[in-house]
Each structure stands twice: as C-alpha cells, then as structure tokens.
C-alpha cells in the first residue's frame, strides 16, 4: 500500500477531500497541490484513456492497466473505482487481490448489474440485496491487510428509491464495509437524510453537472459525510482547456493563458532532474 491508510488519513483530516485523477500527470498534480490522497474513477479513466462513456465497456484488465499507469505518477494513497467487481464473487475476489497487490489503498464496489453505467446516468439497474451482500462479503474476505479500505456503494436511489438505498447502505455497514456510498441523491434534503440516518463513514460524490447538488465541504461534514470525492472537476477543465487551445490553433493564433507553465517548469514537473541524476550516477564514462 502506498503511503498511510485511508483510516489514518481520516484521523488527520475530516472531511477528506479526494480529487479524481484520469492519468499519471493529473495524479502528480494532485500530489503537488497538497492533497493527501486521490481516486481513480471509471468515468474519468474511460473518457481520457479510451474516449468512451462509462457504460461498462472496459474490462477488468483494461481498467487495472490504467490504474497501474496512473499510480506511477504519484506516491499518494489511491482509492479505485472497482465497478461491480467485474463479475460474480470469484471475480470480486480476484479484483480485490489484484488491486491490493498493486498497492492500492482502497476499492469501491457497487451493486449495479453488469454492464454498469455511470452513477449519474439514466438506465441503471441493481442486483438484489443478497447478491450485493455476497459480493461485498467476498471482497472483505479476500483482502490480506485490514487497512485495505473497502467501500460498499449502492446505486439503488435511482432504481428502487431512497428508502431501499439507505437500507442497502446500512446492510453494507453491518457486513463490515469500511465506508458506504449512496450514489446520486437528488436534493439537499436527500443528502441530509442520508448523512443523518446512516451512522458510518460516508462518501459524498460531488459530480459537477450531475444529479446531486454541489455543496461546500463544511456543509457536507455537518450532514455526516467524511470523504468528499470530485469525479469530474479535473476532467471537465482539461477538456475545456484543450478545446480552447485547438480553437486558437485553427484560427491561427496562439495565446497561452496567464500562468501557463513554460517548458522548463513542465519538464521539472515530469521529473527531469531525478532522471538526470540517475543518468549522471550510472552512465559509464566514455573511454
């Protein structure tokens, strides 16, 4: 596991603010900005690595390869979106074992049917509670280190209603999940109810342009949320910046925004000095 556990971070910082990285460079920028951890989300990885929507098109192997590459960019602990575990209890077991061996700090498992969809899209469906519970139990049994942070997520709010979603989250807590997520609540009142009725470590998923109202961290903490995730913040801004730059190029102009890194600053961010030190230390001197 890279760095401190998620529980250790929560003891130091509550609420824990967790940006989502979509590649190794964004993970490095998150670390540089001073955040204590980050997450890899299915929506961001599918969008930036494959230019496809988050509708269950990626296999476990493709996702794990993306996570591995992203982790090379930062030494921070990372929480990974494990979707539905990519199959039955056997697949869930392998997913947990693989990510724990890779050094991931935590994993989110959801109760959607396969193929899953982004939590803020229409057309979702969920498995029955017994199936979801069995997969979560398998995940907990598969981990070797009790500090490997396993999160039970329910997408039932948009399928069977808020009452069922809260009941599922409470069941996930009883099974032993380290934290729970009720995905895509649709009002401040729903957020307040979720935070107040589920006495456990809870995630708030602040998806910009999604179904859930965006609230400040201090308000979410007061409602009962301890971990606040921002799945689209970096992705949306990167897409806007690239689109603006391409429009400039098509119009024949090139005006870099104020504060843009120069070449030296960018290569510094990429670690040119560290690689140069390795080159100087081990390069054989020419005869």
């Amino acid at each position: 596991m890279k760095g401190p556990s998620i529980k250790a971070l929560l003891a130091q910082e509550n609420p824990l603010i967790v940006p989502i990285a979509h590649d190794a460079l964004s993970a490095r920028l998150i670390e540089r900005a001073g955040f204590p951890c980050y997450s890899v989300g299915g929506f961001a990885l599918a969008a930036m690595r494959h230019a496809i929507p988050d509708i269950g098109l990626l296999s476990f192997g493709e996702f794990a390869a993306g996570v591995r590459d992203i982790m090379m960019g930062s030494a921070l602990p990372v929480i990974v979106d494990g979707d539905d575990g990519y199959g039955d209890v056997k697949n869930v077991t392998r997913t947990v074992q693989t990510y724990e061996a890779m050094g991931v700090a935590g994993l989110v498992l959801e109760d959607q049917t396969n193929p899953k969809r982004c939590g803020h899209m229409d057309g979702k469906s969920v498995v029955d509670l017994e199936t979801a519970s069995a997969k979560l139990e398998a995940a907990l049994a598969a981990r070797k280190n009790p500090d490997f942070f396993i999160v039970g997520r329910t997408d039932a709010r948009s399928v069977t209603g808020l009452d069922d979603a809260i009941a599922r989250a409470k069941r996930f807590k009883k099974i032993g999940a380290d934290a729970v997520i009720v995905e895509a609540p649709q009002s401040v009142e729903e957020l307040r109810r979720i935070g107040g009725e589920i006495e456990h470590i809870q995630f708030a998923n602040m998806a910009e342009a999604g179904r859930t109202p965006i609230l400040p961290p201090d308000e979410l903490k007061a409602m009962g949320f301890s971990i606040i995730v921002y799945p689209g913040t970096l992705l949306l801004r990167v897409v806007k910046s690239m689109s603006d730059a391409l429009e400039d190029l098509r119009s024949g102009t090139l005006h870099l925004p104020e504060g843009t890194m120069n070449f030296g600053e960018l290569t510094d961010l990429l670690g040119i000095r560290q690689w140069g030190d390795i080159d100087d230390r081990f390069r054989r001197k020419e005869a």
Side-chain angles (χ1 to χ4, degrees):
M1 182 184 300
K2 282 189 173 185
S5 70
I6 301 303
K7 287 182 180 178
L9 292 178
L10 277 169
Q12 301 169 5
E13 188 170 327
N14 192 336
L16 189 61
I17 307 300
V18 185
I20 282 189
H22 51 259
D23 57 17
L25 186 57
S26 57
R28 180 161 299 174
L29 286 167
I30 290 168
E31 181 174 357
R32 187 186 188 200
F35 290 92
C37 67
Y38 68 100
S39 181
V40 176
F43 188 97
L45 191 149
M48 291 298 288
R49 191 176 178 93
H50 300 280
I52 58 176
D54 182 21
I55 53 174
L57 296 172
L58 292 183
S59 69
F60 172 54
E62 290 173 305
F63 207 104
V67 171
R68 178 201 62 211
D69 290 348
I70 291 171
M71 290 176 68
M72 293 297 292
S74 172
L76 293 178
V78 56
I79 303 169
V80 172
D81 180 358
D83 290 335
D84 70 329
Y86 307 99
D88 64 7
V89 291
K90 299 187 300 298
N91 300 96
V92 168
T93 297
R94 181 168 180 254
T95 298
V96 170
Q97 291 173 341
T98 299
Y99 279 134
E100 187 173 10
M102 286 170 55
V104 168
L107 187 68
V108 178
L109 291 171
E110 64 197 40
D111 60 358
Q112 284 196 50
T113 57
N114 187 282
K116 57 87 56 160
R117 302 176 71 83
C118 167
H120 291 258
M121 288 182 178
D122 292 326
K124 295 188 296 180
S125 59
V126 294
V127 298
D128 62 80
L129 181 55
E130 293 309 312
T131 299
S133 298
K135 292 171 76 169
L136 183 56
E137 288 169 356
L140 292 164
R143 65 181 176 186
K144 294 180 179 179
N145 185 345
D147 283 336
F148 185 76
F149 199 77
I150 293 181
V151 184
R153 168 179 145 176
T154 178
D155 284 74
R157 164 62 188 90
S158 301
V159 183
T160 54
L162 185 59
D163 288 343
D164 183 45
I166 291 175
R168 285 177 178 238
K170 289 180 177 179
R171 176 73 171 270
F172 297 164
K173 174 193 173 182
K174 186 175 181 180
I175 289 170
D178 296 301
V180 296
I181 304 172
V182 174
E183 178 67 332
Q186 299 180 16
S187 68
V188 174
E189 290 71 24
E190 288 191 6
L191 280 166
R192 187 174 290 112
R193 184 181 167 194
I194 291 164
E197 292 190 20
I198 304 169
E199 296 180 359
H200 199 35
I201 298 172
Q202 292 195 68
F203 281 59
N205 194 1
M206 295 287 99
E208 292 166 312
R211 295 183 173 183
T212 304
I214 305 298
L215 300 178
D218 58 344
E219 289 187 28
L220 291 167
K221 179 182 179 182
M223 290 178 180
F225 296 95
S226 300
I227 300 176
I228 306 171
V229 181
Y230 295 85
T233 302
L234 297 184
L235 176 63
L236 290 168
R237 283 155 179 74
V238 165
V239 171
K240 177 66 165 63
S241 294
M242 289 193 294
S243 298
D244 288 347
L246 291 168
E247 287 183 13
D248 286 347
L249 291 178
R250 287 290 293 170
S251 67
T253 62
L254 182 59
H255 177 68
L256 293 176
E258 186 177 350
T260 301
M261 285 185 178
N262 60 37
F263 183 74
E265 290 168 331
L266 179 57
T267 53
D268 242 10
L269 174 65
L270 299 177
I272 188 67
R273 295 180 184 179
Q274 293 90 329
W275 291 110
D277 290 343
I278 293 170
D279 201 22
D280 292 341
R281 182 180 178 188
F282 297 107
R283 181 175 48 201
R284 293 181 179 178
K285 295 181 179 180
E286 296 181 3

